Amino acid sequence: MSTAAPHALADVTASDSTLRRFLHGLPGVDPVGLEARAASLGTRSIKTTAKAYAIDLAISMVDLTTLEGADTPGKVRSLGAKAVLPDPTDRTTPATAAVCVYPDMVPAAKAAVAGSTVKVASVATAFPAGRAPLAVKLADVREAVSAGADEIDMVIDRGAFLAGNYLKVHEEITAVKEACGDAARLKVIFETGELSTYDNIRRASWLGMLAGADFIKTSTGKVAVNATPANTLLMLEAVRDFRAQTGVQVGVKPAGGIRTTKDAIKFLVLVNETVGEDWLDNHWFRFGASSLLNDLLMQRQKLATGRYSGPDYVTVD
Amino acid sequence: MASAFEYAPAPESRAIVDIAPSYGLFIDGEFTEAADGKVFKTVSPASEEVLSEIAQAGEADVDRAVQAARRAFEKWSALPGAERAKYLFRIARIIQERSRELAVLETLDNGKPIKETRDADLPLVAAHFFYYAGWADKLDHAGFGANPRPLGVAGQVIPWNFPLLMLAWKIAPALATGNTVVLKPAETTPLSALFFADVCRQAGLPKGVVNILPGYGDTGAALVAHPDVNKVAFTGSTAVGKQIAKTVAGTRKKLTLELGGKGANIVFDDAPIDQAVEGIVNGIFFNQGQVCCAGSRLLVQESIQDELLDSLKRRLSTLRLGDPLDKNTDIGAINSEEQLTRITSLVERGESEGAERWSPACELPTSGYWFAPTLFTNVTQAHTIARDEIFGPVLSVLTFRTPDEAVAKANNTQYGLSAGIWTEKGSRILAVANKLRAGVVWSNTFNKFDPTSPFGGYKESGFGREGGRHGLEAYLDV
């Protein structure tokens, strides 16, 4: 995994002005067209075998998340158990991709998923505001990594981005990536709702990828507008173009607000028809969601039994 | 297409539509046989299955229908506008109620994907009737002076690419302004017009106000030539349009023609590329390219040619061709064997003249009329495929270096129906749009229709406008 900008674009990050020129030279985004495309992909009809495939795929892509101030080791332990075996009544149910917790909960999470394929992700870097000195953020990351986190979800400094200090954002991401070392993959959260325009989201996507992000992620789930089909489509286009230009593949993680199987399937269709099967596994695509999993499990049970049994037939966490 | 995620087929049920084994002509509020008993068959282009047998109108039938329309005109034109509006609103609502049925019918008869009939055609059909219903009692305020008068009997001939939508474009303004109608649908797609006749009966429309005469070109010719027709409206090929213009010349008939096109879709180097790719796809592969205002010539700025073409080819590889009734289908069948032959021969011509042909890997169904989405690069203005209307899913790609060159190439055609501009620069949109000789210029979008927006051509694309306030003028004595 490279920690600096890929060779093909090495000059871009030479200075604030080269970086700005590059980011502002990216093709614009027409909001109407983008949203129309996302909506039209949402009308694909996914049924029977395609639906069964999509549900299992979606379960395997979930980053089962608890990010509450009230999180306890007990809560994290039960979350971990659920991630490993989401539906105890049907052992063919795939495990989720990861559990995602605050840094201090990493040891508890690590213990809870020990021996399984489930990864532990941690939202280090002064999540969700990101308003802390870089040294504090890096310490946060190092703590999480040394406690065994396999993945770090970092938030960018939206203030710096909106002020046009792209190089500062770039340097922060690079520093965090370095702190992750080879031990952890880095997901970079843009908080798209705060970046406000699609042009900004495309620029942020490229900025994150130039700085070595392994994943680009829409949002923290803590603001009003989180993942949408349109902003996820835009980020998928960005990772597709980035790979075409540099050969480096980057993952995508929509997070926040995806609650139903129907919604999740729409996102999978976006992946399928924008970047294709190269991204259709949990190494390259994730859902940041907590309530989504139960709906997926209920729909999965319905496909298996022909009956919809309701929320009491899946675990609360 | 990713093999890991195969969508399950999701065909729309045919059960919602009940197609009779045969249909008559709709004259004076009744279905009747043709005077000479002639019939023809209409088939589903996706399967070649015979859907129904249709009475074929001859000269005597045309005369009967025109007389019925003439009789109905006296009362219909004398109704207060608000009364005519009531019928039109009723028709619009019935179309909405029956839209699923009509969408399935249209897809069966025409071959276009259900997602287009359901999501584009039928909502627009209803919208046109609603829109012109709103005008019926406001004609004094339409800008044509006080109390503008209807013309009389309108003879209307429509094509097969948007059978019901073209019917709506013709009938809604004609009825709103107080005219009565004799309409000939295309021989390959008569069914939705005959179902519309049923909608008229359901709405209680007075007898003779709308008459439907299925038939071939000779039926249309007889209608156009009938001495008691006051207004001729035609949408179709330029060749037939020219014949009609000759027939009508020297008579007192009013004429509007909506003919062929060879629309230029101009992509500048600062365009929103991903959305431009969608717009190009929508511009030429919507309705299998069987659209008179299709963006069939892509003019791309040389500096982004490679990038854009790579994106476009990748996108074309995800188009899903097949059963038009399947909700997941993007590309349906070509409307007829005759049209497929025409497309095939023009594409061969393109290859023999030296343009480079490309299609995505695409399996075509074994029965029915199909043509894979096709892209031609290395096309020049001198190539036939850059000049002649192909009316199929075939895109010719040309390049330009400067805005002036783009405008010159876009205008260098015998047609002038539509054009598209893709750029992030607002001032360029306005500057270029002003120089394009085309009836519709879309910016950062393509193939968007609305009843409030006038539509029509320059040069050999015809004259007159349909839609909007302008669309009223063609049916009023102004």
Side-chain angles (χ1 to χ4, degrees), chain B residues 89-99 102 130 198-204:
Chain B
F89 278 124
R90 213 179 284 161
I91 289 171
R93 289 194 303 267
I94 295 170
I95 286 170
Q96 284 184 324
E97 283 159 15
R98 295 177 65 174
S99 68
L102 292 166
F130 278 120
D198 189 47
V199 169
C200 291
R201 291 215 293 204
Q202 208 181 328

Side-chain angles (χ1 to χ4, degrees), chain B residues 368-408:
Chain B
Y369 317 124
W370 302 90
F371 200 87
T374 299
L375 192 71
F376 272 107
T377 50
N378 290 335
V379 181
T380 73
Q381 290 290 100
H383 285 129
T384 306
I385 52 167
R387 312 207 70 80
D388 286 10
E389 184 180 37
I390 299 174
F391 223 63
V394 182
L395 179 66
S396 300
V397 183
L398 299 99
T399 60
F400 68 90
R401 293 158 300 177
T402 64
D404 286 345
E405 188 182 349
V407 170

Side-chain angles (χ1 to χ4, degrees), chain A residues 27-31 33-34 37 40 43-51 53-54 57 199 202 234 237 240-241 244 265 268-269 272-274 276-277 280, chain B residues 1-11 115 118-119 270-275 278 307 311 314-315 318-320 326-330 422 424 444 448:
Chain A
V29 183
D30 184 73
L34 177 73
R37 172 67 176 150
S40 81
T43 65
R44 291 290 194 215
S45 173
I46 310 297
K47 293 176 171 179
T48 59
T49 51
K51 188 171 182 183
Y53 174 82
L57 187 60
D199 286 332
R202 174 165 286 173
L234 179 55
E237 287 168 352
R240 177 197 70 198
D241 294 346
I265 289 177
L268 290 180
V269 171
N272 190 35
E273 299 209 23
T274 310
E277 63 182 338
L280 273 178
Chain B
M1 184 50 50
S3 57
F5 194 8
E6 286 298 340
Y7 305 153
K115 76 168 192 192
R118 185 193 60 191
D119 300 341
D270 64 345
I273 298 290
D274 290 307
Q275 287 78 52
E278 292 306 316
E307 185 188 351
S311 298
R314 187 179 51 226
R315 177 68 177 86
T318 67
L319 286 175
R320 306 169 69 89
D326 191 317
K327 293 170 197 168
N328 293 324
T329 294
D330 299 315
W422 296 85
E424 281 281 278
N444 291 338
K448 288 275 177 285

Side-chain angles (χ1 to χ4, degrees), chain A residues 15-134:
Chain A
S15 72
D16 221 349
S17 63
T18 54
L19 186 54
R20 158 177 295 271
R21 211 174 303 138
F22 175 80
L23 294 177
H24 285 258
L26 292 167
V29 183
D30 184 73
V32 177
L34 177 73
E35 287 166 11
R37 172 67 176 150
S40 81
L41 285 175
T43 65
R44 291 290 194 215
S45 173
I46 310 297
K47 293 176 171 179
T48 59
T49 51
K51 188 171 182 183
Y53 174 82
I55 288 175
D56 277 8
L57 187 60
I59 292 172
S60 78
M61 288 169 163
V62 166
D63 281 2
L64 197 57
T65 302
T66 182
L67 295 170
E68 294 168 17
D71 283 345
T72 61
K75 160 96 177 169
V76 170
R77 204 159 43 240
S78 65
L79 195 75
K82 180 158 184 173
V84 174
L85 184 57
D87 185 353
T89 67
D90 182 352
R91 302 188 78 88
T92 65
T93 313
T96 71
V99 286
C100 183
V101 294
Y102 276 120
D104 63 325
M105 287 295 157
V106 170
K110 202 67 190 167
V113 301
S116 75
T117 57
V118 178
K119 305 267 194 287
V120 172
S122 178
V123 289
T125 68
F127 183 93
R131 301 244 70 89
L134 180 58

